[in-house]
Amino acid sequence: MKARIKFSKCGSMRFIGHLDVMRYFQKAFRRAHIPVSYSKGYSPHQILSFTSPLGIGLTSDAEYMDMELEECPEPEKMVDWINSQMNDEIRVKDFVLLPDEAKPSMAMLAGCDYLVALKPGKVSEFRDRPDMEQVLADFVAQPEILVTKKTKRSEKQVDIKPNIYYLSSKLEAFEEQTGQAYGALCLDTEEYQPVFYCQLTAGSVLNIKPELVMQALCRFVGTEYDPLDYQIHRLEMYGDENGKKGEIHLLHDEIPCQLVPLSSYRK
């Protein structure tokens, strides 16, 4: 039996790495007596897989984990059972059962929504800028948006313009564009002042980080980018209804991507 969990991660837990988060959930499941399936063999372990884990220091309202269960007698109580063993900085927000043939969410990941916010006490060119919407419109209107993308072995210039689906400095406008209602965030937007919201391509095949967009935007307005000045917060993760494993459908392709939040994605 397969299931998918959506959870938030904020506060001091943003400094906890992926392996420690995985161990944290494993222990919580044991304490809550969740009947997680175990692998076979000499060293059995819980069958869990995370979708594009956050980097150190990032926060999120939409992290996803797939798991296999031996049984699930009361799925409507799973969120409460798991949260009873969690702290306030990692909270399960949703639990859904999946068809047995459902693919891992990481394999089907196609897009993510992010908030880029200014950290408390930091100064920025973008703080309280009244023409921010026009700046973003001019930024994406460029013929190309070149950035240097680094890998473990090399670095290369790539054009990320096709990978930027939406940009807005206003939450209401961004929600209208994406069709989502994000509700109350675990990131305090009074303390962390929003600079802009963005929807970008994501996944194992084509992944664009919001830091690259912020770097290119700073260069566009002629200011220096300091990654320590900004907080990246993930708002949602999507699968592509028109996609298959290994395929890339961009928003403006002949067959465009059809993004569906992973909590509603059943393929």
Side-chain angles (χ1 to χ4, degrees):
M1 181 179 295
K2 294 183 179 181
R4 181 166 296 152
I5 284 175
K6 179 180 182 179
F7 65 95
S8 61
K9 181 184 178 188
C10 61
S12 60
M13 292 299 284
R14 70 185 186 273
F15 300 115
I16 302 300
H18 169 56
L19 292 179
D20 287 323
V21 171
M22 182 172 66
R23 296 186 190 103
Y24 180 83
F25 270 98
Q26 289 171 342
K27 293 176 181 178
F29 291 154
R30 286 197 291 268
R31 291 194 300 268
H33 304 291
I34 305 300
V36 183
S37 297
Y38 281 75
S39 62
K40 310 300 180 184
Y42 182 75
S43 181
H45 58 271
Q46 294 180 11
I47 302 178
L48 312 173
S49 63
F50 289 76
T51 310
S52 189
L54 283 174
I56 298 293
L58 278 63
T59 54
S60 176
D61 269 286
E63 295 304 285
Y64 286 91
M65 177 182 66
D66 294 344
M67 60 193 300
E68 291 191 18
L69 301 169
E70 294 297 323
E71 60 178 350
C72 188
E74 297 182 88
E76 66 279 357
K77 295 184 179 180
M78 289 291 281
V79 171
D80 291 337
W81 286 346
I82 298 171
N83 279 337
S84 69
Q85 305 301 322
M86 312 288 276
N87 68 32
D88 291 338
E89 295 181 344
I90 292 186
R91 304 299 290 174
V92 173
K93 303 175 70 174
D94 198 10
F95 173 92
V96 294
L97 294 174
L98 301 174
D100 290 340
E101 65 275 10
K103 300 179 180 63
S105 53
M106 184 63 221
M108 307 311 294
L109 179 64
C112 288
D113 296 342
Y114 296 95
L115 162 62
V116 179
L118 187 64
K119 291 181 178 178
K122 299 295 184 178
V123 178
S124 170
E125 164 78 17
F126 306 108
R127 186 177 180 88
D128 298 325
R129 185 163 179 161
D131 63 340
M132 192 61 188
E133 280 294 283
Q134 188 59 52
V135 169
L136 294 175
D138 294 341
F139 172 67
V140 296
Q142 298 176 93
E144 58 183 9
I145 301 174
L146 295 176
V147 300
T148 301
K149 192 171 184 184
K150 298 180 180 180
T151 65
K152 292 181 179 179
R153 296 182 179 180
S154 65
E155 59 181 49
K156 61 180 180 179
Q157 287 274 304
V158 295
D159 178 16
I160 63 171
K161 179 176 178 176
N163 309 110
I164 301 174
Y165 291 162
Y166 301 122
L167 277 180
S168 179
S169 62
K170 299 177 180 178
L171 177 59
E172 297 81 4
F174 188 69
E175 288 182 328
E176 184 176 352
Q177 288 176 324
T178 62
Q180 302 300 315
Y182 304 103
L185 305 182
C186 67
L187 184 74
D188 185 352
T189 52
E190 293 293 329
E191 187 177 7
Y192 292 84
Q193 185 181 42
V195 175
F196 64 81
Y197 303 84
C198 60
Q199 185 176 85
L200 310 173
T201 59
S204 57
V205 178
L206 189 60
N207 190 66
I208 299 298
K209 296 182 179 180
E211 294 92 331
L212 291 176
V213 179
M214 191 67 205
Q215 179 183 345
L217 179 63
C218 286
R219 187 175 66 245
F220 177 73
V221 300
T223 190
E224 185 177 349
Y225 171 61
D226 186 345
L228 298 179
D229 289 347
Y230 299 95
Q231 180 65 42
I232 307 298
H233 183 77
R234 187 140 59 190
L235 297 167
E236 189 53 271
M237 303 172 75
Y238 299 93
D240 179 10
E241 284 284 7
N242 294 331
K244 297 179 182 178
K245 185 177 180 179
E247 286 187 351
I248 302 173
H249 293 275
L250 298 180
L251 192 64
H252 304 294
D253 285 350
E254 183 177 347
I255 302 177
C257 61
Q258 183 180 346
L259 299 182
V260 177
L262 286 176
S263 55
S264 303
Y265 193 82
R266 297 291 186 270
K267 287 189 176 182

